[in-house]
Amino acid sequence: MAASKPEYLINDSKYSFLKELGLQETNLGVFDGTWKGSGKVVQSICPSNGKVIAEVKQGDVSDYESCVQSSTSAWNVWADLPAPKRGEIVRQIGDALRSKLIPLGKLVSIEMGKILPEGIGEVQEYVDICDYAVGLSRTLAGAIYPSERPGHVLLEKWNPLGLIGVISAFNFPIAVYGWNSAVAMVCGDTILWKGAETTPLVSVATTKIVANVLQNNGLPGAVAALCCGGADIGKAMAADKRIKLLSFTGSTHVGQQVGVDVQKRFGKHLLELGGNNAIIVADDADLNMVVQATLFACVGTAGQRCTSTRRLIFHENVYNEVLGRLTQAYKQVVNRIGDALDDSTLIGPLHSKQSLEKYKETVAEIQKQGGKIEFGGKVLERPGYFVEPTIVTGLKHNNPLVHNECFAPIVYVLKAESVPEAISCNNEVPQGLSSSIFTQNIGNIFEWIGPKGSDCGIVNVNIPTSGAEIGGAFGGEKATGGGRESGSDAWKQYMRRSTITINHSKDLPLAQGIKFE
Ligand code: NAD
């Protein structure tokens, strides 16, 4: 007997905003210029209540193939547009996103589980990067270098790569795509996106908005193609020579394999992988700022940001005071755990049942190894995937649990005798994404940002580890993968560099004065 259909949230009047995004009970999850989907049907689950929002028909191998072919041929049209014209299309995409800011932000909240201001903030981040990319479209500058040969000109020029792939993680279901696609589009690339299997509705709704803009301008929709799917589609992208750059955001474990597969075919990759971010508190720090900043960085997004704080390294002189004040602050926010869409909620759910299991396993292992749960440690008995934010003491700084990224609101509190000892503790983990120090001492600051300071990609002073701005390059070192996205010169990764020497004389002098006569 066929299983009865669940009651989809999309049909509940509380979620009517989903229809404004063109979503239905069953949605096609592949876009290659037309919508299709011949693969598995997946249900999108709302982590705030465990109910099915709606379902999506993913892509299979043949859908993937048609996406690659359509997007490759769309490139022939797209790459011919002057960069400022491509910028104008991205400007229109930013405007289209602005007009859907609230419904799309709400969708991010109900599908991923982050609270509404963060859901809206994520869409806003895509809007902001569109604005940034519009400016960039007029400043993708090359260079002219002095040639050592008379009658010669030495130039550097940047050209688009072609088709690029974007594989994104569940925790930033739209912003990561935005960072990559807005910049890649002005650079002249076309994009094939595969989002996380558990956030397919955000992928579909976002692609509909982008596709509308492209098609209203008479451009092929496959400039921004989508193939919803799981590891099978991701693996096909990693192995596919036609994908010139693969931008992968996700766990270190999966990203390492993706990096190897892309390297095997001499493709380019951009890896944005796991973090294990620490805040150091020196004994001269402003402790009011510390408590406020630490609270947001540890419990915000229920600990599911790649930049969430996982380790707190307190100077021994302030250890007891900061731990005491932080525990008090946790007691206050724990009453504000709830449905991601509710105005009063500060901490939403974990994203999935799997995340909840991982939290439970980690808490059990912490206790087995002699760690002390100073606060939290429990799963909440209610529908959805809710846990208490958790503070752990008593584990050594080099315990393997402390070196591992558990993607949940668990923070390990460690003690250091000095700032140099705290810095070495910050640097000893495999990952190298984000890091912060709270201090008012200028010597500490320059130690921290110098050659023997933090070895992370993001090095903050008197602000927490999370909440990066788009203007800087975002990414991390070591097991975080080394990639950089968003601002600064990250655009160069989406282009290929040509070093061009033009001889406008009648002679053929060789470089380095070599004579070959
Ligand atoms: P994940 O590695 O499980 O999945 C990420 C993506 O990879 C998903 O789209 C998934 O379908 C796909 N995938 C799975 N197996 C694959 C394979 N064999 N080949 C190709 N693709 C495959 O990660 P997740 O649980 O979705 O996300 C959480 C992780 O992402 C955390 O480690 C977090 O730190 C990291 N993250 C990092 C950044 C950053 O910028 N550094 C940003 C967001 C998330």
Side-chain angles (χ1 to χ4, degrees):
M1 212 172 75
S4 63
K5 278 195 153 196
E7 281 185 22
Y8 297 100
L9 290 184
I10 192 166
N11 297 323
D12 180 332
S13 59
K14 182 178 170 195
Y15 301 94
S16 57
F17 59 86
L18 293 170
K19 301 212 166 136
E20 283 176 52
L21 298 168
L23 296 173
Q24 302 156 8
E25 223 176 72
T26 300
N27 302 277
L28 298 171
V30 178
F31 181 70
D32 64 0
T34 44
W35 287 93
K36 52 181 72 164
S38 331
K40 198 170 85 178
V41 175
V42 288
Q43 294 183 328
S44 167
I45 310 289
C46 174
S48 288
N49 50 37
K51 293 186 179 162
V52 182
I53 306 167
E55 56 187 35
V56 173
K57 275 188 158 190
Q58 295 185 323
D60 66 3
V61 182
S62 68
D63 291 328
Y64 169 74
E65 186 55 34
S66 79
C67 283
V68 173
Q69 286 184 16
S70 309
S71 206
T72 305
S73 71
W75 183 77
N76 289 315
V77 178
W78 186 245
D80 279 349
L81 287 185
K85 288 250 154 49
R86 298 193 293 254
E88 163 56 18
I89 304 298
V90 172
R91 188 194 64 75
Q92 292 180 31
I93 291 172
D95 275 355
L97 288 162
R98 270 186 187 94
S99 73
K100 300 278 186 215
L101 188 70
I102 303 298
L104 199 50
K106 284 185 173 172
L107 171 59
V108 171
S109 287
I110 63 165
E111 194 174 48
M112 185 277 157
K114 59 181 65 178
I115 59 172
L116 186 56
E118 290 187 64
I120 292 173
E122 212 186 307
V123 183
Q124 184 62 46
E125 209 165 329
Y126 190 174
V127 171
D128 292 346
I129 197 82
C130 284
D131 289 349
Y132 176 90
V134 176
L136 187 64
S137 72
R138 291 186 180 267
T139 56
L140 295 165
I144 304 175
Y145 295 104
S147 171
E148 67 184 45
R149 289 174 278 188
H152 285 58
V153 179
L154 185 56
L155 308 173
E156 187 170 275
K157 181 179 188 301
W158 294 87
N159 285 307
L161 285 174
L163 169 62
I164 71 147
V166 176
I167 298 179
S168 56
F170 76 81
N171 66 325
F172 276 97
I174 179 167
V176 164
Y177 173 67
W179 289 355
N180 280 282
S181 66
V183 173
M185 280 175 88
V186 297
C187 288
D189 302 322
T190 57
I191 300 124
L192 171 56
W193 179 23
K194 190 205 88 62
E197 226 177 339
T198 49
T199 54
L201 294 174
V202 172
S203 302
V204 170
T206 306
T207 301
K208 279 183 191 280
I209 292 169
V210 176
N212 256 343
V213 173
L214 288 166
Q215 289 173 336
N216 287 343
N217 283 278
L219 290 162
V223 166
L226 172 71
C227 191
C228 286
D232 52 339
I233 302 295
K235 282 184 186 163
M237 291 169 83
D240 196 330
K241 271 192 169 166
R242 294 167 296 180
I243 295 189
K244 307 296 180 202
L245 165 77
L246 184 57
S247 173
F248 176 90
T249 301
S251 59
T252 291
H253 167 69
V254 176
Q256 184 172 39
Q257 190 52 52
V258 167
V260 169
D261 290 346
V262 174
Q263 177 59 36
K264 270 190 199 153
R265 59 174 175 87
F266 292 110
K268 289 175 190 280
H269 54 61
L270 195 172
L271 300 176
E272 296 279 358
L273 313 180
N276 191 347
N277 319 297
I279 292 181
I280 294 176
V281 179
D283 58 357
D284 57 67
D286 177 332
L287 299 190
N288 291 332
M289 281 173 76
V290 167
V291 174
Q292 206 184 332
T294 305
L295 184 67
F296 171 71
C298 295
V299 310
T301 331
Q304 299 169 104
R305 285 184 180 223
C306 48
T307 52
S308 291
T309 301
R310 317 245 171 244
R311 295 174 298 143
L312 293 170
I313 310 170
F314 297 154
H315 192 284
E316 58 183 5
N317 294 347
V318 291
Y319 182 93
N320 288 336
E321 181 176 353
V322 186
L323 179 58
R325 288 173 65 174
L326 189 64
T327 311
Q328 283 305 321
Y330 267 58
K331 280 186 189 153
Q332 282 167 17
V333 294
V334 84
N335 307 321
R336 308 273 300 272
I337 299 178
D339 188 315
L341 271 194
D342 285 354
D343 286 346
S344 58
T345 301
L346 275 185
I347 306 173
L350 287 180
H351 177 60
S352 64
K353 200 159 185 294
Q354 251 178 317
S355 317
L356 191 98
E357 292 306 321
K358 187 83 195 134
Y359 169 88
K360 278 205 292 198
E361 275 168 33
T362 307
V363 170
E365 193 55 34
I366 288 167
Q367 287 168 322
K368 204 168 133 196
Q369 299 207 19
K372 180 175 173 212
I373 306 292
E374 293 280 345
F375 187 88
K378 289 195 276 309
V379 170
L380 300 194
E381 295 300 328
R382 56 177 283 175
Y385 313 122
F386 293 92
V387 301
E388 289 177 341
T390 302
I391 303 177
V392 178
T393 57
L395 290 183
K396 286 191 73 175
H397 61 91
N398 55 359
N399 184 300
L401 279 172
V402 178
H403 281 209
N404 187 40
E405 179 198 45
C406 173
F407 216 57
I410 299 176
V411 69
Y412 300 101
V413 185
L414 309 167
K415 196 184 281 185
E417 286 177 15
S418 65
V419 167
E421 183 190 326
I423 294 177
S424 108
C425 188
N426 176 74
N427 291 352
E428 75 180 2
V429 296
Q431 310 84 349
L433 181 52
S434 186
S435 57
S436 304
I437 192 169
F438 279 79
T439 182
Q440 299 184 60
N441 176 310
I442 198 149
N444 284 342
I445 294 176
F446 280 93
E447 188 68 28
W448 176 240
I449 66 171
K452 293 180 185 164
S454 168
D455 64 0
C456 293
I458 315 272
V459 183
N460 291 338
V461 178
N462 294 329
I463 60 162
T465 53
S466 58
E469 297 181 23
I470 61 157
F474 180 88
E477 302 296 325
K478 302 190 292 183
T480 303
R484 291 295 188 278
E485 279 173 1
S486 197
S488 181
D489 62 353
W491 61 269
K492 291 182 175 170
Q493 290 166 105
Y494 302 87
M495 304 197 84
R496 66 183 167 79
R497 182 197 316 248
S498 308
T499 302
I500 303 159
T501 311
I502 301 174
N503 177 3
H504 56 88
S505 73
K506 293 284 176 211
D507 298 322
L508 272 175
L510 297 177
Q512 291 86 45
I514 294 171
K515 298 274 180 247
F516 194 73
E517 286 164 352

